[in-house]
Amino acid sequence: MQSIVVYCGSNPGKKAIYAESAYALGAELAKRNIKLIYGGGNMGLMGRVADGAMENDGFVTGIIPNFLAKLEVAHKTLSELHFVDTMHERKAKMVSISGGVIALPGGYGTFDELFEILTWAQLRIFEGPVGLLNVNGFYDLLLLQLDKMVEEGFLRSDNRDLLIVADNASELLDKMEKASQLNPENKPLDRSLYIDNN
């Protein structure tokens, strides 16, 4: 994997471990020479994951809608920053230039992005690995819910297995690299399937 999208909260959370883990993920991506692609913000976990990569000589691409940039929440020291018109365009552009996705703790936006990319993976629109960094057991209840969905017949077990989980960045990236190698036809995302370019 040459690049990974990171979804995460624009808030830092109430415990220091969340911001520390976001920074550690950014630093680990830089160490492995994997480009970080994210939503371009400077606040919360978004800012920390970017700082972790930038302060360890990594390459960071931010993609932010114009309306958020006008609120002055864009990170000022990224390798590159792209401006788009809508949230949908932001999500599409981020994933179209990535080889994998990781979700850190976050709120509604993070959950929206995570489940959208899992749906795309299920439909084989996106073929890269999808990882969940389960910091401080943040996602334990969500993982139980996914198991319940399988148990009740709403989610196939092979699609449940699309989500790769670990509680630290190094282990998660190792698992994702292995999954990526098992799928050598990890094709770029076909943006025409979900965005109108006309």
Side-chain angles (χ1 to χ4, degrees), residues 39-73:
N42 62 8
M43 300 170 65
L45 301 192
M46 293 178 71
R48 293 308 290 154
V49 71
D51 290 342
M54 291 298 296
E55 291 173 10
N56 288 277
D57 299 318
F59 191 96
V60 181
T61 297
I63 301 171
I64 191 166
N66 289 314
F67 78 91
L68 286 179
K70 289 177 182 177
L71 297 175
E72 298 185 348
V73 298

Side-chain angles (χ1 to χ4, degrees), residues 30 32 88 92 99 104 117 136 151 155 193:
R32 297 180 185 226
H88 289 293
L104 282 161
I117 200 63
N136 194 42
E151 180 184 331
L155 180 65
L193 293 173

